[in-house]
mmCIF file with all atom_site columns, all heavy atoms in Angstrom:
data_model
loop_
_atom_site.group_PDB
_atom_site.id
_atom_site.type_symbol
_atom_site.label_atom_id
_atom_site.label_alt_id
_atom_site.label_comp_id
_atom_site.label_asym_id
_atom_site.label_entity_id
_atom_site.label_seq_id
_atom_site.pdbx_PDB_ins_code
_atom_site.Cartn_x
_atom_site.Cartn_y
_atom_site.Cartn_z
_atom_site.occupancy
_atom_site.B_iso_or_equiv
_atom_site.pdbx_formal_charge
_atom_site.auth_seq_id
_atom_site.auth_comp_id
_atom_site.auth_asym_id
_atom_site.auth_atom_id
_atom_site.pdbx_PDB_model_num
ATOM 1  N N   . TRP A 1 241 ? -39.085 9.101  11.097 1.00 0.00 ? 241 TRP A N   1
ATOM 2  C CA  . TRP A 1 241 ? -37.788 8.469  10.781 1.00 0.00 ? 241 TRP A CA  1
ATOM 3  C C   . TRP A 1 241 ? -36.892 8.226  11.994 1.00 0.00 ? 241 TRP A C   1
ATOM 4  O O   . TRP A 1 241 ? -35.846 7.599  11.872 1.00 0.00 ? 241 TRP A O   1
ATOM 5  C CB  . TRP A 1 241 ? -37.028 9.319  9.743  1.00 0.00 ? 241 TRP A CB  1
ATOM 6  C CG  . TRP A 1 241 ? -37.669 9.281  8.403  1.00 0.00 ? 241 TRP A CG  1
ATOM 7  C CD1 . TRP A 1 241 ? -37.535 8.304  7.455  1.00 0.00 ? 241 TRP A CD1 1
ATOM 8  C CD2 . TRP A 1 241 ? -38.566 10.242 7.835  1.00 0.00 ? 241 TRP A CD2 1
ATOM 9  N NE1 . TRP A 1 241 ? -38.290 8.594  6.349  1.00 0.00 ? 241 TRP A NE1 1
ATOM 10 C CE2 . TRP A 1 241 ? -38.942 9.789  6.554  1.00 0.00 ? 241 TRP A CE2 1
ATOM 11 C CE3 . TRP A 1 241 ? -39.105 11.447 8.304  1.00 0.00 ? 241 TRP A CE3 1
ATOM 12 C CZ2 . TRP A 1 241 ? -39.809 10.490 5.735  1.00 0.00 ? 241 TRP A CZ2 1
ATOM 13 C CZ3 . TRP A 1 241 ? -39.983 12.151 7.482  1.00 0.00 ? 241 TRP A CZ3 1
ATOM 14 C CH2 . TRP A 1 241 ? -40.318 11.667 6.216  1.00 0.00 ? 241 TRP A CH2 1
ATOM 15 N N   . GLY A 1 242 ? -37.269 8.766  13.147 1.00 0.00 ? 242 GLY A N   1
ATOM 16 C CA  . GLY A 1 242 ? -36.419 8.598  14.332 1.00 0.00 ? 242 GLY A CA  1
ATOM 17 C C   . GLY A 1 242 ? -36.347 7.133  14.752 1.00 0.00 ? 242 GLY A C   1
ATOM 18 O O   . GLY A 1 242 ? -37.341 6.395  14.668 1.00 0.00 ? 242 GLY A O   1
ATOM 19 N N   . ILE A 1 243 ? -35.168 6.711  15.191 1.00 0.00 ? 243 ILE A N   1
ATOM 20 C CA  . ILE A 1 243 ? -35.023 5.321  15.650 1.00 0.00 ? 243 ILE A CA  1
ATOM 21 C C   . ILE A 1 243 ? -35.385 5.284  17.141 1.00 0.00 ? 243 ILE A C   1
ATOM 22 O O   . ILE A 1 243 ? -34.608 5.697  17.994 1.00 0.00 ? 243 ILE A O   1
ATOM 23 C CB  . ILE A 1 243 ? -33.588 4.781  15.403 1.00 0.00 ? 243 ILE A CB  1
ATOM 24 C CG1 . ILE A 1 243 ? -33.209 4.914  13.919 1.00 0.00 ? 243 ILE A CG1 1
ATOM 25 C CG2 . ILE A 1 243 ? -33.490 3.331  15.850 1.00 0.00 ? 243 ILE A CG2 1
ATOM 26 C CD1 . ILE A 1 243 ? -34.092 4.148  12.940 1.00 0.00 ? 243 ILE A CD1 1
ATOM 27 N N   . ASN A 1 244 ? -36.611 4.799  17.390 1.00 0.00 ? 244 ASN A N   1
ATOM 28 C CA  . ASN A 1 244 ? -37.092 4.683  18.761 1.00 0.00 ? 244 ASN A CA  1
ATOM 29 C C   . ASN A 1 244 ? -37.200 3.203  19.120 1.00 0.00 ? 244 ASN A C   1
ATOM 30 O O   . ASN A 1 244 ? -36.908 2.322  18.297 1.00 0.00 ? 244 ASN A O   1
ATOM 31 C CB  . ASN A 1 244 ? -38.435 5.411  18.917 1.00 0.00 ? 244 ASN A CB  1
ATOM 32 C CG  . ASN A 1 244 ? -39.454 4.907  17.886 1.00 0.00 ? 244 ASN A CG  1
ATOM 33 O OD1 . ASN A 1 244 ? -39.335 3.787  17.381 1.00 0.00 ? 244 ASN A OD1 1
ATOM 34 N ND2 . ASN A 1 244 ? -40.435 5.733  17.565 1.00 0.00 ? 244 ASN A ND2 1
ATOM 35 N N   . LEU A 1 245 ? -37.637 2.936  20.343 1.00 0.00 ? 245 LEU A N   1
ATOM 36 C CA  . LEU A 1 245 ? -37.682 1.546  20.825 1.00 0.00 ? 245 LEU A CA  1
ATOM 37 C C   . LEU A 1 245 ? -38.631 0.689  19.984 1.00 0.00 ? 245 LEU A C   1
ATOM 38 O O   . LEU A 1 245 ? -38.321 -0.455 19.656 1.00 0.00 ? 245 LEU A O   1
ATOM 39 C CB  . LEU A 1 245 ? -38.127 1.552  22.296 1.00 0.00 ? 245 LEU A CB  1
ATOM 40 C CG  . LEU A 1 245 ? -37.626 0.419  23.160 1.00 0.00 ? 245 LEU A CG  1
ATOM 41 C CD1 . LEU A 1 245 ? -36.137 0.195  23.024 1.00 0.00 ? 245 LEU A CD1 1
ATOM 42 C CD2 . LEU A 1 245 ? -37.983 0.708  24.624 1.00 0.00 ? 245 LEU A CD2 1
ATOM 43 N N   . GLU A 1 246 ? -39.744 1.274  19.608 1.00 0.00 ? 246 GLU A N   1
ATOM 44 C CA  . GLU A 1 246 ? -40.727 0.529  18.802 1.00 0.00 ? 246 GLU A CA  1
ATOM 45 C C   . GLU A 1 246 ? -40.116 0.082  17.473 1.00 0.00 ? 246 GLU A C   1
ATOM 46 O O   . GLU A 1 246 ? -40.283 -1.058 17.043 1.00 0.00 ? 246 GLU A O   1
ATOM 47 C CB  . GLU A 1 246 ? -41.900 1.458  18.504 1.00 0.00 ? 246 GLU A CB  1
ATOM 48 C CG  . GLU A 1 246 ? -43.252 0.860  18.774 1.00 0.00 ? 246 GLU A CG  1
ATOM 49 C CD  . GLU A 1 246 ? -44.285 1.956  18.752 1.00 0.00 ? 246 GLU A CD  1
ATOM 50 O OE1 . GLU A 1 246 ? -44.804 2.230  17.657 1.00 0.00 ? 246 GLU A OE1 1
ATOM 51 O OE2 . GLU A 1 246 ? -44.530 2.556  19.826 1.00 0.00 ? 246 GLU A OE2 1
ATOM 52 N N   . ARG A 1 247 ? -39.381 0.995  16.829 1.00 0.00 ? 247 ARG A N   1
ATOM 53 C CA  . ARG A 1 247 ? -38.755 0.648  15.537 1.00 0.00 ? 247 ARG A CA  1
ATOM 54 C C   . ARG A 1 247 ? -37.615 -0.335 15.770 1.00 0.00 ? 247 ARG A C   1
ATOM 55 O O   . ARG A 1 247 ? -37.421 -1.259 14.975 1.00 0.00 ? 247 ARG A O   1
ATOM 56 C CB  . ARG A 1 247 ? -38.257 1.911  14.823 1.00 0.00 ? 247 ARG A CB  1
ATOM 57 C CG  . ARG A 1 247 ? -39.400 2.780  14.369 1.00 0.00 ? 247 ARG A CG  1
ATOM 58 C CD  . ARG A 1 247 ? -39.027 3.781  13.288 1.00 0.00 ? 247 ARG A CD  1
ATOM 59 N NE  . ARG A 1 247 ? -40.251 4.386  12.798 1.00 0.00 ? 247 ARG A NE  1
ATOM 60 C CZ  . ARG A 1 247 ? -40.645 5.635  13.044 1.00 0.00 ? 247 ARG A CZ  1
ATOM 61 N NH1 . ARG A 1 247 ? -39.875 6.446  13.748 1.00 0.00 ? 247 ARG A NH1 1
ATOM 62 N NH2 . ARG A 1 247 ? -41.787 6.077  12.585 1.00 0.00 ? 247 ARG A NH2 1
ATOM 63 N N   . ALA A 1 248 ? -36.857 -0.158 16.852 1.00 0.00 ? 248 ALA A N   1
ATOM 64 C CA  . ALA A 1 248 ? -35.739 -1.081 17.124 1.00 0.00 ? 248 ALA A CA  1
ATOM 65 C C   . ALA A 1 248 ? -36.261 -2.501 17.331 1.00 0.00 ? 248 ALA A C   1
ATOM 66 O O   . ALA A 1 248 ? -35.562 -3.477 17.022 1.00 0.00 ? 248 ALA A O   1
ATOM 67 C CB  . ALA A 1 248 ? -34.951 -0.601 18.337 1.00 0.00 ? 248 ALA A CB  1
#
Side-chain angles (χ1 to χ4, degrees):
W241 291 278
I243 304 299
N244 54 23
L245 209 49
E246 228 167 89
R247 292 199 171 108

